[in-house]
Amino acid sequence: MNDDNMKRGDARSFSPVDPEATWLSDLKRKRMAGPSFSTKQGSWQGASTCAVHAGTTDDPRTGAVGTPIYQTSTFLLNEDQYDSIHDGYPRDRFIYTRYGNPSQWAVQEKLAALEGAESAIVFSSGMAAITTAVLTFMDKGAHVVASNELYGGTYNLFNQELPTFGMSASLVDPRDFEAIEAAIQPHTQILYFEAITNPLLTVVDIPRIVEIARRHKLRVIIDATFATPIGMKCLDLGVDVVVHSASKYLNGHSDLIAGVALGPRKLIDQIWPRMLSYGGSLDPHACFLLERGLKTLAIRMRAHQESAHALAQHLEAHGQVERVFYPLLPSHPDHEVAARLLSNATGNVTFVVKGGDEAALALLNALQLPKQATSLGGVESLVSLPFNSSQAGFTQKQRIDMGILPGTVRLSVGIEDAADLIADFDQALAMIANTKESKNA
Ligand SMILES: *Cc1c(COP(=O)(O)O)cnc(C)c1O
């Protein structure tokens, strides 16, 4: 958005606008992108160029090339800071680290550049980002229409936390647009969906969700953790606010917990005071780690997709495997939506092994490369079973109704070479086939 648009946007809230009211453009507080203090602002086209350079500073004192870690809780107050407090733009100055810190600004600017967003706020977890963003746009008694395929923490927010605030949620099939529209009530304020769901990797047709939201004047919030900005630019599709768990692909090294909310400055400025109240700000050292991890986001996503796609194809052709879910496979129910919307199909592959959950457990123990752990998006492959981890709270019948069949394996493919992963899966699948045979003999 250019500065002219922003001025017009500000003016609209004072309407009817008197064309003679030139004082409007004299307002001290203009909505700029950011906040930012970087010294390298470019209009880079490539995601990797943004990932490496956006948000970085040439440190004037030392010339350090790496982004310094500003491990401080507070900042000296001078005239400029007092003015910012007095005139209502404290988000644009350093005052206290929960309000803002150069390490946060650096990584926020990198994330915003990657997402094509005007502004971003980093949080101490993905859940902090989600809770803060959702509650920002819900008034007393408000209602949200959300996907029935949700991250567990978000499901709990909608089902357990919102009712305690007198708010409510309706969960609907993300592919059933009539059901989504039918669930909208007079007090609905938000449509909330995950771009790619877990574990079935449903790819949500976001332009259709946006179209429904526009007609009903609702905000759209999308959790794009699985898609990443490399896979999908949600804001370009008309989404109001994008949230991510940065603990996953964005950081990419399974060594920190963080989250981010991104969007137009006008909306992110509304999230900011809620972040101050709820307190989920991100520590400067974690900001540094996230900023460092992000530098390789684009090349990591290419490697994740390459190995995941090769492994998915291999598993689909394997006699011990019943079914594979991966958006790039023509057998995936959302293959067409994925081809239209995704420029990277993520590194997650879900598959159903023959022999049910017992065979799946044996497979996990026979695998040597993927580590048994929950979470995803790290450089190392991780594997887990929904039945005893992410969906353990449901009965087997409920899981089957959700499409999670016995024997379902959740695999986050790392950046290891596809040939090594394939060889490991081949030996593990052969081992469980042999055990089954010797049991039957
Ligand atoms: C992990 C995850 C979250 C929660 O993020 P945390 O960083 O663990 O708080 C939210 N949404 C999705 C899709 C996730 O995978």
Side-chain angles (χ1 to χ4, degrees), residues 123-130 150-154 192 194-198 223-226 243-248 256-260 375-376 410:
F123 289 86
S124 53
S125 71
M127 280 317 302
I130 292 166
L150 284 177
Y151 178 73
T154 312
Y192 184 101
E194 293 179 6
I196 304 179
T197 70
N198 186 21
D223 177 341
T225 300
F226 275 60
V243 290
H244 296 271
S245 166
S247 323
K248 317 293 169 55
L256 71 82
I257 298 292
V260 61
S375 196
L376 60 119
R410 233 185 84 170

Side-chain angles (χ1 to χ4, degrees), residues 144-413:
V144 50
V145 175
S147 174
N148 63 9
E149 291 179 43
L150 284 177
Y151 178 73
T154 312
Y155 178 87
N156 291 341
L157 168 69
F158 289 158
N159 273 283
Q160 287 163 13
E161 302 299 327
L162 290 191
T164 68
F165 297 130
M167 300 169 178
S168 59
S170 301
L171 305 187
V172 290
D173 177 349
R175 293 191 184 102
D176 187 343
F177 303 103
E178 278 175 25
I180 292 169
E181 196 148 4
I184 295 171
Q185 302 175 9
H187 53 300
T188 303
Q189 290 187 304
I190 296 174
L191 300 185
Y192 184 101
F193 289 83
E194 293 179 6
I196 304 179
T197 70
N198 186 21
L200 296 175
L201 306 172
T202 301
V203 185
V204 173
D205 197 339
I206 289 176
R208 292 198 61 177
I209 307 272
V210 166
E211 186 271 320
I212 295 171
R214 292 255 158 89
R215 267 193 286 115
H216 293 268
K217 300 196 168 21
L218 307 174
R219 295 221 192 276
V220 181
I221 302 180
I222 297 291
D223 177 341
T225 300
F226 275 60
T228 82
I230 306 302
M232 191 190 275
K233 293 272 192 293
C234 290
L235 299 170
D236 289 352
L237 299 177
V239 167
D240 295 291
V241 172
V242 191
V243 290
H244 296 271
S245 166
S247 323
K248 317 293 169 55
Y249 288 108
L250 295 182
N251 178 56
H253 295 74
S254 308
D255 55 9
L256 71 82
I257 298 292
V260 61
L262 307 108
R265 172 116 200 211
K266 188 174 164 185
L267 298 183
I268 302 303
D269 274 354
Q270 291 175 44
I271 296 175
W272 186 71
R274 298 304 183 100
M275 186 272 284
L276 298 187
S277 298
Y278 304 150
S281 63
L282 189 62
D283 176 78
H285 190 263
C287 291
F288 162 77
L289 284 174
L290 177 55
E291 206 250 87
R292 185 172 72 161
L294 279 168
K295 290 181 185 178
T296 54
L297 178 67
I299 58 168
R300 278 190 284 110
M301 291 316 294
R302 283 202 288 276
H304 283 297
Q305 172 176 290
E306 186 183 313
S307 292
H309 193 195
L311 188 60
Q313 284 172 321
H314 185 80
L315 290 173
E316 191 166 49
H318 199 287
Q320 287 285 110
V321 173
E322 194 132 346
R323 155 133 225 218
V324 180
F325 295 88
Y326 186 66
L328 292 187
L329 297 179
S331 60
H332 191 281
D334 303 315
H335 181 64
E336 176 276 324
V337 183
R340 181 157 44 86
L341 297 183
L342 294 181
S343 42
N344 182 287
T346 192
N348 278 71
V349 176
T350 296
F351 64 96
V352 184
V353 66
K354 285 184 183 161
D357 290 330
E358 204 185 326
L361 278 172
L363 177 74
L364 258 54
N365 292 326
L367 285 167
Q368 284 173 355
L369 259 183
K371 298 185 194 303
Q372 262 182 68
T374 186
S375 196
L376 60 119
V379 290
E380 63 285 288
S381 292
L382 298 180
V383 68
S384 62
L385 305 179
F387 99 90
N388 65 1
S389 61
S390 52
Q391 270 80 17
F394 297 98
T395 64
Q396 183 169 94
K397 184 180 178 301
Q398 284 173 320
R399 280 193 296 270
I400 292 172
D401 288 345
M402 292 173 191
I404 302 168
L405 303 172
T408 298
V409 180
R410 233 185 84 170
L411 173 65
S412 170
V413 179

